Amino acid sequence: MTVSNDKSRSGLTRRDFIAATAAAGAIAVAGRAGFALGQDAALKVGFISPRTGPLGGFGQTDGYVLDLARKALAGGFQAGGKTYSVEIIDQDTQSDPSRAGQLAKDLINNQGIDLMLAVSTPETINPVADACEAAGVPCLSTVMPWEAWYFGRGAKPGEPSPFKWTYHFGFGVETFHQTYISQWSKIETNKKVGVMYPNDADGNAIRANLAPLLAKDGYTIVDPGAYETGTTDFSSQIALFKAEGVEIFNSFPIPPDFAAFWRQAAQQGLTKQIKIAQVAKTGLFPSDIEALGDLGKNIASAAYWHKAFPYKSTLTGVGGQDLADGYEAAEGKQWTQQLGASLSLLDAGFEALKAASDAKDKAAVAKAISTLNVTTVAGKVDFTSGPVPNVANGPIIGTQWVPSKGGKWKFDYVVTENVTDPNVQPEATLVPYNS
Amino acid sequence: MNAGLDFRVERWTLASRSAVAGVVAIALALIAGPFVLGPGAMDRLTILFVYVILAAMWNALAGYAGLVSVGQQVFLGLGAYFTIRLADWGLNPFVSMVAAAAIVGIIAVPLSFPMLRLKNGEFAIGMWVLAELAHLLVNLDQLVKGETGTSLISLNAFDAPLRRATIYWLALAAMVALLGALFVLLRSRVGAAIQAIRDNEEAAASVGVRVLTTKRMIFVFAAFGAAMAGALWLATALTFQPKAYFSVNWTAYMIFMVLVGGIGTFEGAILGAVLFFLIETWFGAAGVWYLIGLGATALLFALVLPKGIWGAIESRTGLRLLPVGYRLDIRSLLTKKNGTT
């Protein structure tokens, strides 16, 4: 008898335990929902970016940008004749796509956000956008090639857009094409381009779409084939590039892969023959380039924002130069192109809330984004004339990392061409990599 | 009570009867989830169901059949991949999930022939190699677009509340069905054979247990279960990024759940999954420290409580809530002895 009693007591505990957990969850959710209903004049905006982990370079400046935005919104936000108090809830994905999706669901289900903003790389944006599309919450994003966002998430060319709630603005393959043709015409070369495109959405989109465009313009593409990210030995690719005598190099790698490749290329004598080393996805931030030591000198890059952009933030009123200077003064680190990109996302997001007939109505906000046409700190965001529905094209400006002239940083990041946004003034001419 | 022999062999006790009744009652109560719970709580519970499936499957493999695999993510990843693949071909996404798990179960049959020839450490590493290989092969599919992956957008055709409820019910049904099947399997002749193999393979073979066939059955069953978990995970996350699904982290989580809960006990795997779920909910935001904490806890359990929480409870109290074995009751024998002396 005593034994049986013992058993049933334990059985009860376990049952209670599970029931209590479920009940606690239900109460927490119900409590939050009730709280959200009580305050009509409050807007909640989710902001998801990678702040730590391998993609941490992208999120490094977000704390500063969010501070600026919060200061600008401290006195309330005017939309549709109403004044709202605004709460921006920022979350760090730790560079993990699974976590990005979980965070998005938490913001949607438990925080009751009215608008989601997601920034930087498919690993961050795609899971967040999918969660928003599934839950019917408007989502705006920037900083990844729009093809990888649109087609990468399952949209098919020539068919109507499958997305009702998610929108993206920024550069695409055609933008890169124009910029590269403009940039590479600055230096006399044999027009032989060695390319290293990895097996991921960016790499495959670029191989399928950019390489043929470059070939049409008279460039010979030397492609050793897709490599898996995390490859450590690039000898065969380097040997091929040397044998073909390529003078231009182009790659869309993650930073560690490029560092490994470029060091091996230097050891094996490839870098001596390269006149233009044009990289994307890596070489965006000073830290990527400084990590390469002397090999980082004169690497050509392309920027989705630069402090030379002549626009002002609609949300905070800050201009390009002020934004960069303000960041350097506040954080003691060199400015990066992400400053303007993250701020432009906040600009566009709050312009959409302003344009919506009712900022608390998710369908109205999504509709406002679909017809948004504003000039943010990073230039024009125009959803009315996009390449595909749900997408607005943005500029990418040719740039180069050159040794700093008397500045406090190791390298300066200078504008070398402006074909995709003529309002940005070039500051320097492109210098050959091996000069 | 047997008059001639003063002991009895029993399987069901009052505690286990009430525990099974309790489990059935909880499962029935959970069916009502979508009518009373908010979307956040439903999402979390769906994830808990997936964890329970994963823990039970790994426990069946390691705890009962003695096959320690560090590559179970291969089946999880393939389950998610085939769901995407079938849905892209136009199959209803919910049907795709079940069909994908069945396909993975079928694939596991030929895979079991080479894998089960490997012993202990070789099997563990072999499974990991298999997972990496499957990851690379999946990356070759144009639909997946390499590491960036793709999304199960055909689910968007169903509106959010209906979809959420369907996934929840599907996860609940999968969990109950897999646990039920495992319970029945372990109580059958196969169950006895499995435990004989775990304790001593040669001895089991010598008394006529068909070692390979029995192991294969568990191997395929665990593969099917893990694939179902992968398909369910995909349905809640929507985004398929190969790296996230073929990550060895999944197996680390399974090991954690089973080690902490109690390896080789039916209840332990469930307890471990619930504990892991709670730990993740409370400490998941701590990033790297959370992972270090998980690893340290698993290590501590392996050293101090190698049978896990439930194993310790069981050996101290003799408590079995969901009995898959038999027990010997010699209380009356002891009472009689005490009476005569």
mmCIF file with all atom_site columns, all heavy atoms in Angstrom, chain A residues 7 97 105 109 127 130 133-134 152-153 201 228, chain B residues 15 43 148 150-151 153 156 163 236 238-239 241 319:
data_model
loop_
_atom_site.group_PDB
_atom_site.id
_atom_site.type_symbol
_atom_site.label_atom_id
_atom_site.label_alt_id
_atom_site.label_comp_id
_atom_site.label_asym_id
_atom_site.label_entity_id
_atom_site.label_seq_id
_atom_site.pdbx_PDB_ins_code
_atom_site.Cartn_x
_atom_site.Cartn_y
_atom_site.Cartn_z
_atom_site.occupancy
_atom_site.B_iso_or_equiv
_atom_site.pdbx_formal_charge
_atom_site.auth_seq_id
_atom_site.auth_comp_id
_atom_site.auth_asym_id
_atom_site.auth_atom_id
_atom_site.pdbx_PDB_model_num
ATOM 1   N N   . LYS A 1 7   ? 3.893  5.882  -5.448  1.00 0.00 ? 7   LYS A N   1
ATOM 2   C CA  . LYS A 1 7   ? 3.886  5.966  -6.910  1.00 0.00 ? 7   LYS A CA  1
ATOM 3   C C   . LYS A 1 7   ? 2.877  6.992  -7.395  1.00 0.00 ? 7   LYS A C   1
ATOM 4   O O   . LYS A 1 7   ? 3.155  7.804  -8.249  1.00 0.00 ? 7   LYS A O   1
ATOM 5   C CB  . LYS A 1 7   ? 3.539  4.602  -7.495  1.00 0.00 ? 7   LYS A CB  1
ATOM 6   C CG  . LYS A 1 7   ? 4.684  3.613  -7.382  1.00 0.00 ? 7   LYS A CG  1
ATOM 7   C CD  . LYS A 1 7   ? 4.162  2.219  -7.640  1.00 0.00 ? 7   LYS A CD  1
ATOM 8   C CE  . LYS A 1 7   ? 5.201  1.175  -7.247  1.00 0.00 ? 7   LYS A CE  1
ATOM 9   N NZ  . LYS A 1 7   ? 4.603  -0.160 -7.209  1.00 0.00 ? 7   LYS A NZ  1
ATOM 10  N N   . PRO A 1 97  ? 20.265 31.167 -38.420 1.00 0.00 ? 97  PRO A N   1
ATOM 11  C CA  . PRO A 1 97  ? 18.979 31.287 -39.113 1.00 0.00 ? 97  PRO A CA  1
ATOM 12  C C   . PRO A 1 97  ? 17.808 30.718 -38.309 1.00 0.00 ? 97  PRO A C   1
ATOM 13  O O   . PRO A 1 97  ? 16.715 31.287 -38.321 1.00 0.00 ? 97  PRO A O   1
ATOM 14  C CB  . PRO A 1 97  ? 19.172 30.481 -40.392 1.00 0.00 ? 97  PRO A CB  1
ATOM 15  C CG  . PRO A 1 97  ? 20.609 30.211 -40.521 1.00 0.00 ? 97  PRO A CG  1
ATOM 16  C CD  . PRO A 1 97  ? 21.245 30.385 -39.184 1.00 0.00 ? 97  PRO A CD  1
ATOM 17  N N   . LYS A 1 105 ? 9.061  34.834 -34.551 1.00 0.00 ? 105 LYS A N   1
ATOM 18  C CA  . LYS A 1 105 ? 7.784  34.305 -34.061 1.00 0.00 ? 105 LYS A CA  1
ATOM 19  C C   . LYS A 1 105 ? 7.478  34.834 -32.660 1.00 0.00 ? 105 LYS A C   1
ATOM 20  O O   . LYS A 1 105 ? 6.327  35.117 -32.340 1.00 0.00 ? 105 LYS A O   1
ATOM 21  C CB  . LYS A 1 105 ? 7.820  32.772 -34.060 1.00 0.00 ? 105 LYS A CB  1
ATOM 22  C CG  . LYS A 1 105 ? 7.538  32.222 -35.448 1.00 0.00 ? 105 LYS A CG  1
ATOM 23  C CD  . LYS A 1 105 ? 7.146  30.769 -35.395 1.00 0.00 ? 105 LYS A CD  1
ATOM 24  C CE  . LYS A 1 105 ? 8.361  29.923 -35.186 1.00 0.00 ? 105 LYS A CE  1
ATOM 25  N NZ  . LYS A 1 105 ? 8.044  28.482 -35.217 1.00 0.00 ? 105 LYS A NZ  1
ATOM 26  N N   . ASN A 1 109 ? 4.122  36.748 -31.951 1.00 0.00 ? 109 ASN A N   1
ATOM 27  C CA  . ASN A 1 109 ? 3.102  36.108 -31.111 1.00 0.00 ? 109 ASN A CA  1
ATOM 28  C C   . ASN A 1 109 ? 3.052  36.679 -29.704 1.00 0.00 ? 109 ASN A C   1
ATOM 29  O O   . ASN A 1 109 ? 1.976  36.816 -29.130 1.00 0.00 ? 109 ASN A O   1
ATOM 30  C CB  . ASN A 1 109 ? 3.367  34.604 -31.018 1.00 0.00 ? 109 ASN A CB  1
ATOM 31  C CG  . ASN A 1 109 ? 3.181  33.921 -32.354 1.00 0.00 ? 109 ASN A CG  1
ATOM 32  O OD1 . ASN A 1 109 ? 2.341  34.334 -33.156 1.00 0.00 ? 109 ASN A OD1 1
ATOM 33  N ND2 . ASN A 1 109 ? 3.965  32.898 -32.616 1.00 0.00 ? 109 ASN A ND2 1
ATOM 34  N N   . PRO A 1 127 ? 14.473 33.821 -42.948 1.00 0.00 ? 127 PRO A N   1
ATOM 35  C CA  . PRO A 1 127 ? 13.622 33.194 -41.922 1.00 0.00 ? 127 PRO A CA  1
ATOM 36  C C   . PRO A 1 127 ? 12.640 34.177 -41.284 1.00 0.00 ? 127 PRO A C   1
ATOM 37  O O   . PRO A 1 127 ? 11.501 33.816 -41.007 1.00 0.00 ? 127 PRO A O   1
ATOM 38  C CB  . PRO A 1 127 ? 14.625 32.689 -40.874 1.00 0.00 ? 127 PRO A CB  1
ATOM 39  C CG  . PRO A 1 127 ? 15.941 32.672 -41.537 1.00 0.00 ? 127 PRO A CG  1
ATOM 40  C CD  . PRO A 1 127 ? 15.900 33.711 -42.606 1.00 0.00 ? 127 PRO A CD  1
ATOM 41  N N   . ASP A 1 130 ? 9.849  34.864 -43.775 1.00 0.00 ? 130 ASP A N   1
ATOM 42  C CA  . ASP A 1 130 ? 8.948  33.706 -43.852 1.00 0.00 ? 130 ASP A CA  1
ATOM 43  C C   . ASP A 1 130 ? 7.994  33.677 -42.665 1.00 0.00 ? 130 ASP A C   1
ATOM 44  O O   . ASP A 1 130 ? 6.803  33.405 -42.820 1.00 0.00 ? 130 ASP A O   1
ATOM 45  C CB  . ASP A 1 130 ? 9.752  32.400 -43.890 1.00 0.00 ? 130 ASP A CB  1
ATOM 46  C CG  . ASP A 1 130 ? 10.357 32.142 -45.265 1.00 0.00 ? 130 ASP A CG  1
ATOM 47  O OD1 . ASP A 1 130 ? 9.896  32.783 -46.231 1.00 0.00 ? 130 ASP A OD1 1
ATOM 48  O OD2 . ASP A 1 130 ? 11.276 31.315 -45.379 1.00 0.00 ? 130 ASP A OD2 1
ATOM 49  N N   . GLU A 1 133 ? 5.427  36.430 -43.223 1.00 0.00 ? 133 GLU A N   1
ATOM 50  C CA  . GLU A 1 133 ? 4.492  36.075 -44.288 1.00 0.00 ? 133 GLU A CA  1
ATOM 51  C C   . GLU A 1 133 ? 3.472  35.064 -43.752 1.00 0.00 ? 133 GLU A C   1
ATOM 52  O O   . GLU A 1 133 ? 2.278  35.147 -44.031 1.00 0.00 ? 133 GLU A O   1
ATOM 53  C CB  . GLU A 1 133 ? 5.275  35.472 -45.472 1.00 0.00 ? 133 GLU A CB  1
ATOM 54  C CG  . GLU A 1 133 ? 4.492  35.277 -46.741 1.00 0.00 ? 133 GLU A CG  1
ATOM 55  C CD  . GLU A 1 133 ? 4.055  36.581 -47.392 1.00 0.00 ? 133 GLU A CD  1
ATOM 56  O OE1 . GLU A 1 133 ? 4.898  37.470 -47.574 1.00 0.00 ? 133 GLU A OE1 1
ATOM 57  O OE2 . GLU A 1 133 ? 2.858  36.701 -47.722 1.00 0.00 ? 133 GLU A OE2 1
ATOM 58  N N   . ALA A 1 134 ? 3.956  34.113 -42.945 1.00 0.00 ? 134 ALA A N   1
ATOM 59  C CA  . ALA A 1 134 ? 3.080  33.071 -42.413 1.00 0.00 ? 134 ALA A CA  1
ATOM 60  C C   . ALA A 1 134 ? 2.071  33.647 -41.427 1.00 0.00 ? 134 ALA A C   1
ATOM 61  O O   . ALA A 1 134 ? 0.927  33.210 -41.376 1.00 0.00 ? 134 ALA A O   1
ATOM 62  C CB  . ALA A 1 134 ? 3.909  31.985 -41.740 1.00 0.00 ? 134 ALA A CB  1
ATOM 63  N N   . GLY A 1 152 ? 14.817 33.132 -53.972 1.00 0.00 ? 152 GLY A N   1
ATOM 64  C CA  . GLY A 1 152 ? 15.331 32.214 -52.952 1.00 0.00 ? 152 GLY A CA  1
ATOM 65  C C   . GLY A 1 152 ? 14.246 31.696 -52.023 1.00 0.00 ? 152 GLY A C   1
ATOM 66  O O   . GLY A 1 152 ? 14.355 30.614 -51.476 1.00 0.00 ? 152 GLY A O   1
ATOM 67  N N   . ARG A 1 153 ? 13.186 32.471 -51.830 1.00 0.00 ? 153 ARG A N   1
ATOM 68  C CA  . ARG A 1 153 ? 12.116 32.032 -50.945 1.00 0.00 ? 153 ARG A CA  1
ATOM 69  C C   . ARG A 1 153 ? 10.994 31.357 -51.714 1.00 0.00 ? 153 ARG A C   1
ATOM 70  O O   . ARG A 1 153 ? 9.902  31.156 -51.184 1.00 0.00 ? 153 ARG A O   1
ATOM 71  C CB  . ARG A 1 153 ? 11.590 33.220 -50.141 1.00 0.00 ? 153 ARG A CB  1
ATOM 72  C CG  . ARG A 1 153 ? 12.596 33.679 -49.083 1.00 0.00 ? 153 ARG A CG  1
ATOM 73  C CD  . ARG A 1 153 ? 12.200 35.002 -48.463 1.00 0.00 ? 153 ARG A CD  1
ATOM 74  N NE  . ARG A 1 153 ? 10.884 34.946 -47.867 1.00 0.00 ? 153 ARG A NE  1
ATOM 75  C CZ  . ARG A 1 153 ? 9.942  35.868 -48.050 1.00 0.00 ? 153 ARG A CZ  1
ATOM 76  N NH1 . ARG A 1 153 ? 10.169 36.917 -48.803 1.00 0.00 ? 153 ARG A NH1 1
ATOM 77  N NH2 . ARG A 1 153 ? 8.767  35.745 -47.486 1.00 0.00 ? 153 ARG A NH2 1
ATOM 78  N N   . ALA A 1 201 ? 22.889 30.929 -52.094 1.00 0.00 ? 201 ALA A N   1
ATOM 79  C CA  . ALA A 1 201 ? 21.923 31.683 -52.900 1.00 0.00 ? 201 ALA A CA  1
ATOM 80  C C   . ALA A 1 201 ? 22.608 32.822 -53.645 1.00 0.00 ? 201 ALA A C   1
ATOM 81  O O   . ALA A 1 201 ? 22.384 33.014 -54.843 1.00 0.00 ? 201 ALA A O   1
ATOM 82  C CB  . ALA A 1 201 ? 20.812 32.229 -52.031 1.00 0.00 ? 201 ALA A CB  1
ATOM 83  N N   . GLU A 1 228 ? 32.081 24.808 -51.828 1.00 0.00 ? 228 GLU A N   1
ATOM 84  C CA  . GLU A 1 228 ? 31.257 24.825 -50.617 1.00 0.00 ? 228 GLU A CA  1
ATOM 85  C C   . GLU A 1 228 ? 31.889 25.799 -49.625 1.00 0.00 ? 228 GLU A C   1
ATOM 86  O O   . GLU A 1 228 ? 33.116 25.847 -49.483 1.00 0.00 ? 228 GLU A O   1
ATOM 87  C CB  . GLU A 1 228 ? 31.177 23.434 -49.997 1.00 0.00 ? 228 GLU A CB  1
ATOM 88  C CG  . GLU A 1 228 ? 30.448 22.404 -50.851 1.00 0.00 ? 228 GLU A CG  1
ATOM 89  C CD  . GLU A 1 228 ? 28.975 22.757 -51.102 1.00 0.00 ? 228 GLU A CD  1
ATOM 90  O OE1 . GLU A 1 228 ? 28.352 23.391 -50.239 1.00 0.00 ? 228 GLU A OE1 1
ATOM 91  O OE2 . GLU A 1 228 ? 28.471 22.404 -52.182 1.00 0.00 ? 228 GLU A OE2 1
ATOM 92  N N   . ALA B 2 15  ? 0.321  2.412  -9.609  1.00 0.00 ? 15  ALA B N   1
ATOM 93  C CA  . ALA B 2 15  ? 0.951  3.670  -10.040 1.00 0.00 ? 15  ALA B CA  1
ATOM 94  C C   . ALA B 2 15  ? 1.027  3.731  -11.553 1.00 0.00 ? 15  ALA B C   1
ATOM 95  O O   . ALA B 2 15  ? 0.719  4.758  -12.159 1.00 0.00 ? 15  ALA B O   1
ATOM 96  C CB  . ALA B 2 15  ? 2.346  3.772  -9.441  1.00 0.00 ? 15  ALA B CB  1
ATOM 97  N N   . ASP B 2 43  ? 2.791  27.464 -30.619 1.00 0.00 ? 43  ASP B N   1
ATOM 98  C CA  . ASP B 2 43  ? 4.077  27.290 -31.288 1.00 0.00 ? 43  ASP B CA  1
ATOM 99  C C   . ASP B 2 43  ? 5.072  26.604 -30.369 1.00 0.00 ? 43  ASP B C   1
ATOM 100 O O   . ASP B 2 43  ? 5.783  25.688 -30.762 1.00 0.00 ? 43  ASP B O   1
ATOM 101 C CB  . ASP B 2 43  ? 4.637  28.651 -31.712 1.00 0.00 ? 43  ASP B CB  1
ATOM 102 C CG  . ASP B 2 43  ? 4.412  28.923 -33.178 1.00 0.00 ? 43  ASP B CG  1
ATOM 103 O OD1 . ASP B 2 43  ? 4.092  27.971 -33.896 1.00 0.00 ? 43  ASP B OD1 1
ATOM 104 O OD2 . ASP B 2 43  ? 4.564  30.084 -33.589 1.00 0.00 ? 43  ASP B OD2 1
ATOM 105 N N   . THR B 2 148 ? 21.940 28.687 -48.683 1.00 0.00 ? 148 THR B N   1
ATOM 106 C CA  . THR B 2 148 ? 20.906 29.673 -48.386 1.00 0.00 ? 148 THR B CA  1
ATOM 107 C C   . THR B 2 148 ? 19.548 29.021 -48.192 1.00 0.00 ? 148 THR B C   1
ATOM 108 O O   . THR B 2 148 ? 18.710 29.531 -47.471 1.00 0.00 ? 148 THR B O   1
ATOM 109 C CB  . THR B 2 148 ? 20.816 30.711 -49.495 1.00 0.00 ? 148 THR B CB  1
ATOM 110 O OG1 . THR B 2 148 ? 22.125 31.038 -49.864 1.00 0.00 ? 148 THR B OG1 1
ATOM 111 C CG2 . THR B 2 148 ? 20.093 31.936 -49.038 1.00 0.00 ? 148 THR B CG2 1
ATOM 112 N N   . THR B 2 150 ? 15.723 27.340 -48.993 1.00 0.00 ? 150 THR B N   1
ATOM 113 C CA  . THR B 2 150 ? 14.502 27.850 -49.587 1.00 0.00 ? 150 THR B CA  1
ATOM 114 C C   . THR B 2 150 ? 13.383 27.753 -48.549 1.00 0.00 ? 150 THR B C   1
ATOM 115 O O   . THR B 2 150 ? 13.637 27.420 -47.402 1.00 0.00 ? 150 THR B O   1
ATOM 116 C CB  . THR B 2 150 ? 14.171 27.068 -50.874 1.00 0.00 ? 150 THR B CB  1
ATOM 117 O OG1 . THR B 2 150 ? 13.063 27.671 -51.504 1.00 0.00 ? 150 THR B OG1 1
ATOM 118 C CG2 . THR B 2 150 ? 13.858 25.614 -50.573 1.00 0.00 ? 150 THR B CG2 1
ATOM 119 N N   . SER B 2 151 ? 12.159 28.087 -48.959 1.00 0.00 ? 151 SER B N   1
ATOM 120 C CA  . SER B 2 151 ? 11.071 28.148 -47.986 1.00 0.00 ? 151 SER B CA  1
ATOM 121 C C   . SER B 2 151 ? 9.901  27.287 -48.432 1.00 0.00 ? 151 SER B C   1
ATOM 122 O O   . SER B 2 151 ? 9.676  27.102 -49.626 1.00 0.00 ? 151 SER B O   1
ATOM 123 C CB  . SER B 2 151 ? 10.590 29.591 -47.826 1.00 0.00 ? 151 SER B CB  1
ATOM 124 O OG  . SER B 2 151 ? 11.676 30.449 -47.620 1.00 0.00 ? 151 SER B OG  1
ATOM 125 N N   . ILE B 2 153 ? 6.805  27.713 -49.064 1.00 0.00 ? 153 ILE B N   1
ATOM 126 C CA  . ILE B 2 153 ? 5.794  28.767 -49.179 1.00 0.00 ? 153 ILE B CA  1
ATOM 127 C C   . ILE B 2 153 ? 4.410  28.221 -49.477 1.00 0.00 ? 153 ILE B C   1
ATOM 128 O O   . ILE B 2 153 ? 3.431  28.927 -49.325 1.00 0.00 ? 153 ILE B O   1
ATOM 129 C CB  . ILE B 2 153 ? 6.145  29.850 -50.221 1.00 0.00 ? 153 ILE B CB  1
ATOM 130 C CG1 . ILE B 2 153 ? 6.399  29.225 -51.576 1.00 0.00 ? 153 ILE B CG1 1
ATOM 131 C CG2 . ILE B 2 153 ? 7.284  30.706 -49.781 1.00 0.00 ? 153 ILE B CG2 1
ATOM 132 C CD1 . ILE B 2 153 ? 6.375  30.260 -52.683 1.00 0.00 ? 153 ILE B CD1 1
ATOM 133 N N   . ASN B 2 156 ? 1.682  28.823 -47.107 1.00 0.00 ? 156 ASN B N   1
ATOM 134 C CA  . ASN B 2 156 ? 1.035  30.132 -46.987 1.00 0.00 ? 156 ASN B CA  1
ATOM 135 C C   . ASN B 2 156 ? -0.353 30.164 -47.606 1.00 0.00 ? 156 ASN B C   1
ATOM 136 O O   . ASN B 2 156 ? -1.109 31.109 -47.410 1.00 0.00 ? 156 ASN B O   1
ATOM 137 C CB  . ASN B 2 156 ? 1.903  31.228 -47.622 1.00 0.00 ? 156 ASN B CB  1
ATOM 138 C CG  . ASN B 2 156 ? 3.127  31.506 -46.783 1.00 0.00 ? 156 ASN B CG  1
ATOM 139 O OD1 . ASN B 2 156 ? 3.161  31.145 -45.609 1.00 0.00 ? 156 ASN B OD1 1
ATOM 140 N ND2 . ASN B 2 156 ? 4.132  32.120 -47.370 1.00 0.00 ? 156 ASN B ND2 1
ATOM 141 N N   . ARG B 2 163 ? -3.566 26.876 -40.193 1.00 0.00 ? 163 ARG B N   1
ATOM 142 C CA  . ARG B 2 163 ? -2.274 26.233 -40.407 1.00 0.00 ? 163 ARG B CA  1
ATOM 143 C C   . ARG B 2 163 ? -1.615 25.900 -39.066 1.00 0.00 ? 163 ARG B C   1
ATOM 144 O O   . ARG B 2 163 ? -1.113 24.798 -38.858 1.00 0.00 ? 163 ARG B O   1
ATOM 145 C CB  . ARG B 2 163 ? -1.371 27.173 -41.215 1.00 0.00 ? 163 ARG B CB  1
ATOM 146 C CG  . ARG B 2 163 ? -0.027 26.569 -41.556 1.00 0.00 ? 163 ARG B CG  1
ATOM 147 C CD  . ARG B 2 163 ? 0.825  27.576 -42.274 1.00 0.00 ? 163 ARG B CD  1
ATOM 148 N NE  . ARG B 2 163 ? 0.878  28.802 -41.501 1.00 0.00 ? 163 ARG B NE  1
ATOM 149 C CZ  . ARG B 2 163 ? 0.739  30.007 -42.012 1.00 0.00 ? 163 ARG B CZ  1
ATOM 150 N NH1 . ARG B 2 163 ? 0.545  30.162 -43.277 1.00 0.00 ? 163 ARG B NH1 1
ATOM 151 N NH2 . ARG B 2 163 ? 0.811  31.073 -41.251 1.00 0.00 ? 163 ARG B NH2 1
ATOM 152 N N   . THR B 2 236 ? 6.962  24.493 -38.781 1.00 0.00 ? 236 THR B N   1
ATOM 153 C CA  . THR B 2 236 ? 6.852  25.625 -37.864 1.00 0.00 ? 236 THR B CA  1
ATOM 154 C C   . THR B 2 236 ? 7.809  26.751 -38.261 1.00 0.00 ? 236 THR B C   1
ATOM 155 O O   . THR B 2 236 ? 7.508  27.912 -38.066 1.00 0.00 ? 236 THR B O   1
ATOM 156 C CB  . THR B 2 236 ? 7.148  25.236 -36.397 1.00 0.00 ? 236 THR B CB  1
ATOM 157 O OG1 . THR B 2 236 ? 8.507  24.826 -36.308 1.00 0.00 ? 236 THR B OG1 1
ATOM 158 C CG2 . THR B 2 236 ? 6.256  24.130 -35.927 1.00 0.00 ? 236 THR B CG2 1
ATOM 159 N N   . LEU B 2 238 ? 9.304  27.139 -41.505 1.00 0.00 ? 238 LEU B N   1
ATOM 160 C CA  . LEU B 2 238 ? 9.088  27.456 -42.928 1.00 0.00 ? 238 LEU B CA  1
ATOM 161 C C   . LEU B 2 238 ? 10.365 27.550 -43.739 1.00 0.00 ? 238 LEU B C   1
ATOM 162 O O   . LEU B 2 238 ? 10.380 27.253 -44.924 1.00 0.00 ? 238 LEU B O   1
ATOM 163 C CB  . LEU B 2 238 ? 8.313  28.766 -43.105 1.00 0.00 ? 238 LEU B CB  1
ATOM 164 C CG  . LEU B 2 238 ? 6.842  28.719 -42.733 1.00 0.00 ? 238 LEU B CG  1
ATOM 165 C CD1 . LEU B 2 238 ? 6.219  30.097 -42.934 1.00 0.00 ? 238 LEU B CD1 1
ATOM 166 C CD2 . LEU B 2 238 ? 6.103  27.700 -43.564 1.00 0.00 ? 238 LEU B CD2 1
ATOM 167 N N   . THR B 2 239 ? 11.454 28.026 -43.145 1.00 0.00 ? 239 THR B N   1
ATOM 168 C CA  . THR B 2 239 ? 12.680 28.222 -43.909 1.00 0.00 ? 239 THR B CA  1
ATOM 169 C C   . THR B 2 239 ? 13.543 26.978 -43.819 1.00 0.00 ? 239 THR B C   1
ATOM 170 O O   . THR B 2 239 ? 13.835 26.513 -42.723 1.00 0.00 ? 239 THR B O   1
ATOM 171 C CB  . THR B 2 239 ? 13.465 29.415 -43.360 1.00 0.00 ? 239 THR B CB  1
ATOM 172 O OG1 . THR B 2 239 ? 12.549 30.491 -43.180 1.00 0.00 ? 239 THR B OG1 1
ATOM 173 C CG2 . THR B 2 239 ? 14.552 29.847 -44.312 1.00 0.00 ? 239 THR B CG2 1
ATOM 174 N N   . GLN B 2 241 ? 17.135 25.791 -44.385 1.00 0.00 ? 241 GLN B N   1
ATOM 175 C CA  . GLN B 2 241 ? 18.533 26.091 -44.676 1.00 0.00 ? 241 GLN B CA  1
ATOM 176 C C   . GLN B 2 241 ? 19.323 24.863 -44.263 1.00 0.00 ? 241 GLN B C   1
ATOM 177 O O   . GLN B 2 241 ? 19.341 24.491 -43.092 1.00 0.00 ? 241 GLN B O   1
ATOM 178 C CB  . GLN B 2 241 ? 18.978 27.348 -43.940 1.00 0.00 ? 241 GLN B CB  1
ATOM 179 C CG  . GLN B 2 241 ? 18.213 28.554 -44.485 1.00 0.00 ? 241 GLN B CG  1
ATOM 180 C CD  . GLN B 2 241 ? 18.613 29.869 -43.900 1.00 0.00 ? 241 GLN B CD  1
ATOM 181 O OE1 . GLN B 2 241 ? 18.683 30.006 -42.700 1.00 0.00 ? 241 GLN B OE1 1
ATOM 182 N NE2 . GLN B 2 241 ? 18.844 30.859 -44.741 1.00 0.00 ? 241 GLN B NE2 1
ATOM 183 N N   . LEU B 2 319 ? 10.033 2.826  -8.886  1.00 0.00 ? 319 LEU B N   1
ATOM 184 C CA  . LEU B 2 319 ? 8.853  3.390  -9.536  1.00 0.00 ? 319 LEU B CA  1
ATOM 185 C C   . LEU B 2 319 ? 8.922  3.210  -11.050 1.00 0.00 ? 319 LEU B C   1
ATOM 186 O O   . LEU B 2 319 ? 9.930  3.525  -11.673 1.00 0.00 ? 319 LEU B O   1
ATOM 187 C CB  . LEU B 2 319 ? 8.793  4.877  -9.185  1.00 0.00 ? 319 LEU B CB  1
ATOM 188 C CG  . LEU B 2 319 ? 7.613  5.678  -9.700  1.00 0.00 ? 319 LEU B CG  1
ATOM 189 C CD1 . LEU B 2 319 ? 6.337  5.180  -9.054  1.00 0.00 ? 319 LEU B CD1 1
ATOM 190 C CD2 . LEU B 2 319 ? 7.828  7.138  -9.360  1.00 0.00 ? 319 LEU B CD2 1
#
